[in-house]
Amino acid sequence: LKFMKADQEESENNYLIVGLGNPGDDYQETRHNIGFMVIDNLVSNMKVNYASIKHQAMLYKVKLEDKTVYLAKPHTFMNRSGQSVKPIIKEFNIPLQNIIVIYDDADLPFETIRLRPGGSSSGQKGMRSIIEKLGTNEIARMRMGIDRPPGKMSTPNFVLKKFSRTQQGVLPFVLDRASEAVMSFIKLGIEKAMNDHNRSE
């Protein structure tokens, strides 16, 4: 892997896509790691220029016409994600409006994607950490529906389990739709991405 150097491009053309999850094989295919899965899907479909482990994250760099896009999977564990994201933003001079954070949401049905330009963390610990470290909640985010826990199962236990076999069969299509929404955000902005992708079908 080549080691990245800070870009000289104008900062308004720098973007950061953050997928949240937990590092390690035990968490690899769990619901809580769907943010990581979206980043992996993007990386597999894009021509990655550089990749490195930096600022406690797996960090990729992609050129899209005049834009430089960084894709990050923080390896800090979910509730300390901000410790990784803040120095990435600082080093690569990324405007806050050019950042989107992708994470799981147990309040949304599986297959549902919801983009928002900002707002509270709604209890999602990774997003909360990022908001606290950056000192603002005006960060775009994409919430990926993972369903509610069945019966009396607690949400923390549920999100650390793998998707059902049926859901695993649909998951590649969900990740493709999420990747399309990210590309729309980069090329057209959050409002257009919301209009085109905030749907459950």
Side-chain angles (χ1 to χ4, degrees):
L1 296 177
K2 297 181 179 179
F3 198 72
M4 271 186 249
K5 295 182 180 179
D7 277 5
Q8 301 301 313
E9 289 94 345
E10 292 296 318
S11 64
E12 60 262 28
N13 288 331
N14 291 349
Y15 286 75
L16 175 62
I17 316 302
V18 181
L20 298 186
N22 287 312
D25 292 342
D26 290 345
Y27 301 100
Q28 194 168 9
E29 297 177 355
T30 61
R31 291 177 172 88
H32 216 24
N33 272 32
I34 197 166
F36 276 14
M37 296 178 200
V38 176
I39 296 296
D40 290 340
N41 192 65
L42 283 162
V43 167
S44 70
N45 290 317
M46 301 167 88
K47 186 177 180 181
V48 173
N49 299 96
Y50 298 99
S52 69
I53 296 173
K54 194 170 192 183
H55 299 307
Q56 302 180 78
M58 190 68 214
L59 195 59
Y60 305 90
K61 176 183 172 184
V62 174
K63 290 292 290 184
L64 291 176
E65 298 175 355
D66 62 334
K67 295 177 171 63
T68 300
V69 181
Y70 298 94
L71 304 105
K73 297 194 299 183
H75 285 178
T76 54
F77 285 95
M78 183 73 75
N79 61 359
R80 296 194 297 272
S81 299
Q83 295 178 11
S84 171
V85 172
K86 184 176 181 179
I88 293 172
I89 293 169
K90 185 175 181 181
E91 174 169 355
F92 299 109
N93 198 22
I94 299 167
L96 293 182
Q97 68 269 20
N98 289 1
I99 301 164
I100 191 165
V101 182
I102 306 162
Y103 55 91
D104 62 295
D105 191 327
D107 289 326
L108 292 176
F110 179 66
E111 295 188 59
T112 303
I113 293 171
R114 286 286 181 271
L115 294 99
R116 293 175 61 196
S120 73
S121 67
S122 300
Q124 213 282 349
K125 293 180 179 179
M127 193 69 216
R128 183 194 305 164
S129 172
I130 291 170
I131 289 171
E132 288 175 353
K133 284 293 182 183
L134 298 183
T136 178
N137 64 5
E138 296 304 306
I139 300 293
R141 72 285 310 266
M142 181 163 66
R143 296 176 294 144
M144 306 287 296
I146 60 168
D147 279 341
R148 294 294 302 165
K152 296 183 178 180
M153 184 185 293
S154 71
T155 300
N157 286 336
F158 176 70
V159 301
L160 294 179
K161 292 187 179 298
K162 294 183 179 182
F163 289 99
S164 71
R165 186 171 296 179
T166 301
Q167 290 173 335
Q168 288 176 26
V170 179
L171 192 56
F173 302 99
V174 176
L175 297 177
D176 282 345
R177 279 185 40 228
S179 294
E180 290 171 9
V182 169
M183 297 302 291
S184 181
F185 167 75
I186 295 168
K187 294 177 179 179
L188 303 170
I190 186 63
E191 297 296 335
K192 178 65 173 169
M194 288 169 59
N195 290 339
D196 290 347
H197 298 278
N198 277 0
R199 62 185 192 274
S200 55
E201 50 286 42

